[in-house]
């Protein structure tokens, strides 16, 4: 059931990118899709029975204990940071476009900038 919600989130973001004409709405849709992809990755990577790979003093690792791999967690954190920076960069680009085009519709911008 949770997989269906995550895939629906990804599809909502995708259709927003394709069908929305406002550039700010396209960026928000891209962020929704990115969040859905990250949630899907986390959903796939999470398994029951895995423990955090942190050992405390006095506790030895028990034989046969399965530990979660920290590398996918680092990859997801990197994806979140990169997604945030791309979103910020695109918003700055839209702010520069808004100086000349008060309506941020893709059709209007293309019509105004064609020779």
């Amino acid at each position: 059931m949770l997989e269906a919600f995550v895939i629906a989130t990804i599809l909502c973001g995708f259709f927003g990118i394709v069908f929305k004409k406002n550039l700010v709405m396209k960026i928000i849709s891209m962020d929704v899709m990115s969040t859905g992809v990250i949630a899907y990755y986390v959903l796939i990577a999470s398994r029951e029975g895995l423990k955090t790979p942190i050992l405390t003093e006095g506790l030895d690792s028990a034989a046969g204990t399965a530990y979660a791999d920290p590398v996918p967690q680092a990859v997801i954190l990197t994806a979140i940071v990169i997604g945030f920076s791309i979103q910020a960069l695109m918003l700055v680009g839209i702010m520069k476009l808004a100086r000349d085009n008060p309506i941020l519709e893709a059709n209007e911008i293309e019509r105004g900038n064609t020779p």
Side-chain angles (χ1 to χ4, degrees):
M1 184 70 171
L2 192 56
E3 293 93 355
F5 286 124
V6 171
I7 291 174
T9 303
I10 294 170
L11 288 175
C12 284
F14 176 74
F15 287 128
I17 290 172
V18 172
F19 293 119
K20 293 291 182 183
K21 299 300 179 197
N22 191 328
L23 295 179
V24 175
M25 293 303 293
K26 283 184 181 276
I27 290 177
I28 291 172
S29 297
M30 187 191 80
D31 190 44
V32 167
M33 191 170 90
S34 171
T35 302
V37 169
I38 289 170
Y40 187 70
Y41 191 87
V42 169
L43 185 67
I44 295 299
S46 65
R47 292 180 291 175
E48 290 191 31
L50 295 180
K51 298 196 180 209
T52 306
I54 298 174
L55 300 177
T56 58
E57 290 185 35
L59 295 175
D60 295 330
S61 64
T65 303
Y67 291 106
D69 187 14
V71 175
Q73 297 171 10
V75 170
I76 288 301
L77 285 174
T78 305
I80 292 169
V81 170
I82 290 172
F84 177 73
S85 62
I86 288 173
Q87 182 183 13
L89 184 65
M90 289 186 353
L91 286 173
V92 167
I94 286 181
M95 285 173 50
K96 293 208 178 251
L97 274 174
R99 290 182 188 165
D100 298 331
N101 305 306
I103 299 175
L104 290 174
E105 300 291 325
N107 297 337
E108 295 295 325
I109 293 172
E110 288 176 3
R111 191 174 315 144
N113 292 327
T114 54

